[in-house]
Amino acid sequence: MQRREFLKSAAVLSLAAALPRSAWAEEVVFAPKPGAWRAVDLVTKITVEKPDGKMQAWIPLPSVTESEWVRNGETTWTGNTASATRARDSKYGAEMLHVTWKENEAAPVLEATSRVEMRDRAIDLSKPGKVAPLSDAERKLNLEGTALIPVDGIVKQTSDKIVAAANARSDIEKARAIYDWVVENTVRVAATRGCGVGDVAAMLKTGNLGGKCADLNALYVGLTRAAGVPARDVYGIRVIPSQFGYKSLGAGSSNVTKAQHCRAEVFLEGFGWVPTDPADVRKVMLEEPPANLAINDPKVVAARKTLFGAWEGNWIPYCRVARIRSSAS
Amino acid sequence: MYPQAERASLLLDCHDPDNFKYALTAKEVKAS
């Protein structure tokens, strides 16, 4: 290294060491912005082991289309199925491929390929604009309780406490307060099966606020709905790495078999559906190298700041309902 | 959002790879 370069580097290091922690946080760039579209072919291959009797399968298909951030292309499939039919859930619009095999099929197999284009989302929450209000039906759907996400009882009580403690009055203040509460009071548990069950009332009753994305973001959705603000989960899968270097927030390779991820949206007047993901803040804390980061670690601070209002377009949304089979029409 | 399957009318555990195998792969291609 040349002496001049060394002195320059040393000066930078000295300056960095003297910086307060908040200044370090400013150096972590996590800033998704709507820009170029990216396209991915997502391939799902299914094999039924030990074939026996009647066999059938349901494969989730990307079925969320939003002109600003996700476009679905063609889905094709191959295999030795006896039938293959696209089905659509009438309530949530979730699509799936329902296939059956003959009873004597020795090696049932199905491979489906979906082309999806997506890009980053980012809402400037300092600049409200004119946004069409939700229809009465949409508002009702995204405020109502479900079997696993009730909006009364302990969920309502907890939501009221959070909102009161934060002195939150507007929808955006309530949504933000609940986001912060979920980030600060939950924990990601690596041993959770899949993305978690999302039994919000059980989480609050037991005080066990651990889980994965379908637990933590369902908790966010339930608490937010209970505060009278429309919210919904979006179930999908990470398909490409994070362009901001977050290893925990992107696909680690082309094999995305275990990369399912649930995000959330909240509807705010003046902004429309706003992307959010408190569960991913906890994921950064647990998994981002060197792992077990503190809540004031710059990478966590940057993720927390960004994931209320933005998310990266490295993830394909499937649908807005957790379980596809029972919802098939 | 996991694939589901039934064998002999019994739902297979989508997190049990010994009975129900599936793989998802993603390949980035040129956007239109």
Side-chain angles (χ1 to χ4, degrees):
Chain A
M1 180 182 289
Q2 296 295 317
R3 181 173 180 272
R4 186 174 179 177
E5 289 175 342
F6 171 79
L7 290 174
K8 187 177 176 183
S9 299
V12 169
L13 286 172
S14 298
L15 176 62
L19 286 172
R21 199 164 185 84
S22 58
W24 272 106
E26 295 301 319
E27 294 181 0
V28 177
V29 178
F30 184 40
K33 300 286 182 193
W37 290 81
R38 302 178 78 176
V40 164
D41 280 345
L42 178 64
V43 180
T44 305
K45 184 175 182 179
I46 284 182
T47 306
V48 181
E49 300 289 294
K50 307 168 193 169
D52 180 23
K54 183 180 179 183
M55 295 170 291
Q56 56 183 335
W58 296 261
I59 295 91
L61 300 178
S63 48
V64 174
T65 296
E66 301 286 353
S67 60
E68 290 298 314
W69 61 275
V70 59
R71 304 190 291 225
N72 290 318
E74 188 179 26
T75 292
T76 59
W77 56 87
T78 60
N80 52 12
T81 58
S83 69
T85 311
R86 287 184 77 138
R88 185 178 179 87
D89 161 72
S90 59
K91 185 172 184 178
Y92 296 98
E95 289 189 27
M96 65 216 80
L97 183 63
H98 177 213
V99 301
T100 65
W101 287 275
K102 293 177 182 174
E103 292 202 10
N104 60 351
E105 180 55 59
V109 64
L110 179 281
E111 184 173 300
T113 302
S114 298
R115 170 73 54 88
V116 183
E117 296 186 343
M118 60 274 178
R119 63 176 181 170
D120 291 354
R121 296 178 76 186
I123 308 292
D124 185 346
L125 295 173
S126 68
K127 296 177 181 174
K130 287 187 176 179
V131 175
L134 285 180
S135 68
D136 290 345
E138 284 180 298
R139 188 170 182 82
K140 178 176 180 294
L141 178 67
N142 294 292
L143 280 175
E144 70 183 8
T146 66
L148 292 178
I149 310 179
V151 294
D152 56 3
I154 195 169
V155 180
K156 175 65 174 166
Q157 293 161 17
T158 307
S159 178
D160 287 348
K161 286 179 186 174
I162 297 167
V163 169
N167 196 27
R169 298 183 185 280
S170 66
D171 281 3
I172 190 170
E173 289 172 342
K174 293 175 184 176
R176 180 76 203 210
I178 294 167
Y179 173 85
D180 285 334
W181 187 89
V182 171
V183 167
E184 292 169 5
N185 290 278
T186 63
V187 61
R188 180 178 173 89
V189 176
T192 303
R193 297 189 90 211
C195 291
V197 175
D199 189 341
V200 171
M203 292 172 74
L204 293 172
K205 285 175 183 171
T206 62
N208 179 1
L209 301 184
K212 284 187 180 171
C213 52
D215 299 308
L216 276 49
N217 282 339
L219 182 60
Y220 176 77
V221 167
L223 293 169
T224 305
R225 288 183 178 182
V229 184
R232 60 191 181 188
D233 287 314
V234 193
Y235 300 86
I237 187 165
R238 300 182 209 270
V239 287
I240 41 182
S242 166
Q243 62 181 325
F244 299 101
Y246 277 86
K247 291 186 177 178
S248 60
L249 300 186
S253 72
S254 61
N255 181 348
V256 295
T257 304
K258 295 182 178 179
Q260 287 84 358
H261 177 54
C262 164
R263 290 175 167 173
E265 294 175 301
V266 57
F267 189 87
L268 300 175
E269 191 176 337
F271 303 101
W273 284 108
V274 172
T276 184
D277 197 340
D280 257 0
V281 181
R282 298 303 310 198
K283 191 169 195 283
V284 168
M285 291 178 68
L286 181 67
E287 298 179 7
E288 193 65 25
N292 297 312
L293 304 182
I295 201 165
N296 62 348
D297 184 282
K299 292 177 183 174
V300 179
V301 171
R304 179 175 179 172
K305 180 181 177 184
T306 298
L307 290 172
F308 185 77
W311 68 36
E312 255 192 281
N314 63 341
W315 165 90
I316 290 175
Y318 278 123
C319 58
R320 294 187 169 103
V321 62
R323 291 159 191 81
I324 56 164
R325 179 173 163 268
S326 59
S327 68
S329 55
Chain B
M1 79 240 51
Y2 294 87
Q4 305 285 328
E6 282 184 359
R7 180 181 60 208
S9 299
L10 292 175
L11 180 65
L12 301 178
D13 183 348
C14 62
H15 302 302
D16 178 5
D18 289 337
N19 285 300
F20 178 30
K21 290 188 176 175
Y22 60 86
L24 289 106
T25 55
K27 180 184 178 185
E28 186 162 7
V29 297
K30 187 178 179 182
S32 61

